[in-house]
Amino acid sequence: LTADAEDVVREFDPEKVYIIGGIVDHNRLKGQTLAKAEEQGIATAQLPLGEYVEMGSCSRVLAVNHVLQIVVEHQGLGDWSRVLEKCIPGRKKMLDDPGAPGD
């Protein structure tokens, strides 16, 4: 999982293993998680943040603990809107019309 991926996760496949991209300095090393995955032939995807969260000028990059919490919560709730509202840091605002494409 990396914010730089083109594909978006809609649901988690219990038969797959998910690796959370965790390079901390996303400004200096932007795209490194995606590049490393592609180099190793590993499929990549991003969370559907833009469909549920008003990102504005905020970064789409989340801390590893937030991504893990989202993955775990989605297993139980299965509802992106509820999961992201519960797990996204308070500095990011939820969209009024979840599911509509974001910026």
Side-chain angles (χ1 to χ4, degrees), residues 22-30:
I23 296 175
V24 177
D25 187 355
H26 57 85
N27 289 325
R28 188 173 60 87
L29 299 174
K30 181 146 181 60

Side-chain angles (χ1 to χ4, degrees), residues 9 11 14 30-31 85 95:
V9 171
E11 59 185 44
K30 181 146 181 60
E85 186 170 4
L95 289 172

Side-chain angles (χ1 to χ4, degrees), residues 9-87:
V9 171
R10 300 290 171 206
E11 59 185 44
F12 293 100
D13 182 343
E15 300 296 317
K16 291 184 178 179
V17 173
Y18 293 86
I19 301 168
I20 299 171
I23 296 175
V24 177
D25 187 355
H26 57 85
N27 289 325
R28 188 173 60 87
L29 299 174
K30 181 146 181 60
Q32 289 298 302
T33 299
L34 178 64
K36 184 70 170 174
E38 289 175 344
E39 174 186 307
Q40 295 183 359
I42 299 171
T44 60
Q46 62 174 286
L47 298 173
L49 298 179
E51 298 172 26
Y52 298 91
V53 181
E54 175 57 54
M55 301 306 286
S57 62
C58 293
S59 170
R60 294 180 308 127
V61 176
L62 297 174
V64 172
N65 60 305
H66 291 131
V67 177
L68 179 59
Q69 182 184 14
I70 290 167
V71 172
V72 170
E73 292 290 339
H74 192 268
Q75 301 310 298
L77 296 174
D79 179 323
W80 284 114
S81 184
R82 287 175 51 206
V83 168
L84 295 173
E85 186 170 4
K86 180 176 182 177
C87 300

